[in-house]
Amino acid sequence: MSDNQDFSVVGKSLPRSDARIKAVGAAQYADDIFLPGMLYGKLLRSPVAHARIKSIDTSAAEALPGVKCVITGADIPKIKYGNWRLVPESQDEYALAIDKVRFIGDEVAAVAALDKDTAEEAVRLIKVEYEELPGAFSVDEALAENAPVIHDEYQQQTPNISLDRKISYGDLDRAFAEADLILDDVFTVHATSHAYMEPCSCVAEYDHDGRLTIWTSTQAPYFVQCLLALTLEMRENDIRVIKPYVGGGFGGKMEMRPWEFCAAFIARKLGRPVKFTLTREEELATGRRRHPMKIHSKVAFRKDGMILGKEFIVHLDGGAYNSMGPTACFLCGNFGAMLYNYPNYRYYGAHVYTNKPPAGAMRGFGAPQALFVAETQMNMAAEKLGLDPIDIRLMNAMETGDEIPGVATISSCGFKESLLKVAEMTDWRERRKNLKPGQGIGIGCYSFISGGVFNWFNTRYNFTRAEVRAFDDGTVHLMTMASDIGQGCDTVLRQILAEELGLKISDIRLTAADTAVTPQADLGTWGSRVTLMAGNAVRKAAQEIKEQLYKMVSLKFDLNVIHDMRCKDGKIFPANRPDRNISFGEAVRMAQRANRGEPIIGYGSYTPRNKGLVTPAFSFGAQVAECEVDRETGAIEVKYMTTAHDCGTPINPMAVEGQLEGSVHMGLGYALCEQFIMKEGKTLNTTFLDYKLACAEDMPPGVSVHIDTYEPDGPFGAKEAGEGLVSPTAPAIADAVYHATGYRCMDLPITPLKLLKGMKKI
Amino acid sequence: MTLPQFKFLAPTNLDEACALLKKHQGKIKVKAGGTDMIVRLSHRAVKPDYLMTLKKIPGLNEISWDDQGGLVIGALALLREVEVSPIILEHAPMLARAAHATATVQIRNMGTVMGNICNASPSADNIPTLVAMEASIVAFSERGQREISLDDFFLGPGRTALAADELAIAIKVPAPAPKTGVSYQKVSQRSKVDIAAVNIGALVTLDGAGNCARVRISMGAVGPTPLRARQAEEFLAGKPASAANLAEAGRLAAADASPISDVRASKEYRKLMVEVLSQRALAEASGFAAGN
């Protein structure tokens, strides 16, 4: 359906607009910002997992030369905050602990000093007296009878369950009664780190006119603005949040965080700029992470492989605060019913507090966990029913037009094509039968959202907006709060705008992610929302510009009928008379002259309406992993990855490819080597020496193809690319390991020890 | 993190270096490549008043061989130099393998084999092979020069037999006897570029009949210092390197290992890996010894 050939800019692998500045090291990240008189901040974090704070003595820290400010929970407004503003009681965090600490790393006090060393020393001089409480360190411990109540100020139906969600449709009991095969399994999946290259950092400055500016490494400037206003008791518009270059986020930077609050609070108090930059150890020991989950999944099959129904019960180990857990809890229920048609489905998801660092949003947002389980069970069912794993998927696969009852309609879907493509590319049927001992080939699939439709932040603005100003020199200025955090939306949005207006990328100036300047609406970069949502807003803004300019062509050539007009190659002309063209700049000049010099401005916004409960558009794909297992040491080497995926129109295929490689890297770590080693709530591996990110040398070669689809709700047919792809890797590798060894992983990650135990070697 | 304050010393000859070392005893740390020391400094794991680099002392990066004396690796020889040295590749290729297995190429371009040894981490990549090959450390001080066998060099994690006034200036590896083979084996959590969860160095010398005349096995990351698998060594002496004998040697090696469970591996996994890797190391070393 796509009309790729007609595109001039969209669908082209253009170099990223930030490639040069990053390659030469000139891009300024938050920590690169130095302001005159700037102080350095440092947080004191709780060394205990669960305790009441009895007293805090900051006198020694304050007496240390060079220390300019020490604040504790007693100094700040007693206001709780959280991203889920729609559910006020879900807002469960103070910027600094006031009553209790609930995990090792909970922020207790903050210091600002003339230099980092002094700030660090001052933090060590703060004396806190804790009354330690028993802790709960797993879902089971938190839900046990007489478990310590982690947020005892709330009335909770079940202690430590902060929030739950139910989905139910069809007649599941009947499905189980009629089933020929029922799989009934409990899986556990673990926490992993976003491991973004740039640790969190911010610089705050308070003006003489009482306004605050903060440069911060964030995915969502608007969230930071709103929640700083709430917690500092300021007006939103008196706070300016600027996103400088950001070195990755993966979901870990989409909330207002204590260091942002403390930088702003101290900057306001002292009238001096304050910088906070976290260390990698702080990030790994206390930072947000992917939700560990305990998942009980029961699936009913007919003997020919047809899915009859599924019950999906998920307990999210949320850590000490809600963070983005409610969204993960919500989405997990949707991902549990994705990819295949589940005519009967029941979901119960519960977000459980534990005395651990809070889990938050992380690439996939519930999908990697739900799909690891769903895809593993598809592979198990195929084996039990004597079917090929690809055949059983084809039989149940979603298609364009399918409906998830009451939840969503699939507006474009290249899933079956993806399955057939990977089967063909890998010679699946043959290789599945004929491999050497120790070799395995396995499959995993995914679907993902293109942004969410649920307004949990309770924004009163559009979900996203764009403003475009056109100039008579043939250039335009795009302003948007869409936040490039390394994924490339600054380039992709320029491509969309350039395509719509018939301009070149170099004709577009971009100002993005500055709450004082860019349009006051955009929820940020998460949930793969930017290309579709901000892309649609940019297109609409461009269309407003075009309407103003098209009239000028009619005027110039005295056309007496309404013509179908085109913008291309910097010119505007009737589709059937390209010779009657004027340049973009000339059209702008004429339009301004005709309207008393008023500037040519186009506004566009996008808020999904009538798009169900989840997302306007779903991506799909299939991935095959080939691995080799050392059956004595349990070492697993992934040899090759083959991917076919449907992201609609790839606006920039090279950027999509980059996303794909990054997601294989992250999925590989999730499957095999990344994990937090925890003891009683303490993270023991807090450096990259012992937190095992896959290295470049661990990356397998691979190949990927785009399945050609056109998403009607997306800009130029585009939808999500790159986030969903993190999901299929772990189930594909796990299936390949099973194929190689007979060990079926139900408990990620697949460590050599687990594998050897599974193979009865230990 | 910022580095703490210290005085930086860069002597240009060994005598000067030893004088400084003696003068500032207890308050001085020595660095070669700095890949471990700078990290320890910035984490305040060590807080010396003085940091002395050996980098300005000429001649300390030599890699040389002579048929009688064997191999000499200077204290400043980089991991990368050892990894690619034609001399090492000809006479002690397993030392190149061990050097190659250390960290990343960026680290290997800075770090030294001697630094890896003197850091005395039980999991160091370059220790087991050198122990198996009966290497010794040349220690230099104002009192003179002495050689310390690697077997006696490690006292505990981060602790060596070097006296406070002594500098480790070279590694000496005796020329292997005829019909000798060496192997280095390693497992870690991640398939590549990783610190060892267990590593094994083995040396096998065969006699005229093809039996094991001499066996040395060194096990890393399974005790506070690199351990010798003495039961396995004794068991194999005089016996052929058959699969059954190697399997038994592996079991005996595991019995001699005293690993702990930590963030890198569990005790049970390490024990099993000693068994697997020592068999593999012995098989490869005896294969090399037999000229296979």
Side-chain angles (χ1 to χ4, degrees), chain A residues 34 68 99 151 251 256 316 357 500 503 526 575 595 606 650 663:
Chain A
F34 294 90
K68 297 296 173 189
D99 46 351
H151 289 264
M256 192 273 278
L316 294 86
E500 193 67 45
L503 299 175
W526 48 268
N595 198 18
Y606 181 83
S663 57

Side-chain angles (χ1 to χ4, degrees), chain B residues 30 32 36-37 40 54 75 112-121 124 127 137-138 150 153-154 156-162 166-171:
Chain B
V30 179
D36 281 313
M37 185 56 73
R40 286 161 59 76
L54 303 181
T112 61
V113 175
M114 185 65 97
N116 193 230
I117 292 170
C118 289
N119 197 42
S121 160
I127 293 174
I137 298 300
V138 181
L150 267 193
F153 190 71
F154 302 103
R159 288 173 51 231
T160 69
L162 280 178
E166 279 182 319
L167 275 180
I169 59 166
I171 305 159

Side-chain angles (χ1 to χ4, degrees), chain A residues 117 281 630 632-633 636-637 677 684 689-690 692-695 697-698 752-753 756-757 761-762, chain B residues 1-3 43-44 187-195 263-264 266 268-269 272-273 276-277 280:
Chain A
D117 287 352
E281 286 78 2
D630 182 326
E632 288 182 325
T633 64
I636 298 160
E637 191 175 350
I677 317 279
L684 302 177
L689 179 63
D690 285 316
K692 306 289 185 183
L693 273 183
C695 293
E697 282 192 53
D698 296 305
L753 179 64
L756 291 176
K757 280 185 173 167
K761 300 256 181 170
I762 292 187
Chain B
M1 261 180 273
T2 51
L3 284 173
H43 283 86
R44 309 307 198 257
V187 288
S188 46
Q189 275 173 286
R190 186 162 50 205
S191 59
K192 293 177 187 136
V193 190
D194 202 0
I195 191 165
V263 295
R264 288 172 201 156
S266 69
E268 56 183 333
Y269 181 70
L272 181 64
M273 286 309 102
V276 170
L277 295 189
R280 287 185 183 181

Side-chain angles (χ1 to χ4, degrees), chain B residues 8 29-35 37-38 41 51-55 76 110:
Chain B
F8 190 64
K29 287 284 172 191
V30 179
K31 81 157 195 68
T35 54
M37 185 56 73
I38 300 296
L41 283 167
L51 181 69
M52 180 167 77
T53 182
L54 303 181
K55 283 284 193 179
L76 291 181
M110 291 290 290

Side-chain angles (χ1 to χ4, degrees), chain A residues 23-69:
Chain A
V24 302
Q28 278 216 329
Y29 297 82
D31 192 50
D32 296 320
I33 295 168
F34 294 90
L35 299 178
M38 188 177 81
L39 301 174
Y40 293 85
K42 184 79 188 169
L43 290 160
L44 174 70
R45 296 171 177 280
S46 169
V48 293
H50 196 195
R52 276 183 208 293
I53 298 173
K54 290 179 73 179
S55 67
I56 304 180
D57 178 0
T58 59
S59 54
E62 282 167 67
L64 186 70
V67 173
K68 297 296 173 189
C69 185

Side-chain angles (χ1 to χ4, degrees), chain A residues 253-274:
Chain A
K253 297 177 179 171
M254 62 172 289
E255 301 165 65
M256 192 273 278
R257 302 301 302 280
W259 46 92
E260 291 168 325
F261 172 88
C262 290
F265 186 89
I266 297 172
R268 183 176 64 175
K269 188 172 172 189
L270 301 185
R272 288 180 77 161
V274 183

Side-chain angles (χ1 to χ4, degrees), chain A residues 463-499:
Chain A
F463 272 28
T464 185
R465 272 189 81 75
E467 287 181 24
V468 177
R469 299 180 188 171
F471 300 91
D472 66 1
D473 59 3
T475 66
V476 294
H477 187 174
L478 166 61
M479 284 184 289
T480 168
M481 203 129 72
S483 300
D484 198 330
I485 57 167
Q487 88 277 28
C489 68
D490 283 357
T491 308
V492 160
L493 295 179
R494 275 189 175 98
Q495 282 184 266
I496 289 169
L497 181 58
E499 185 66 50

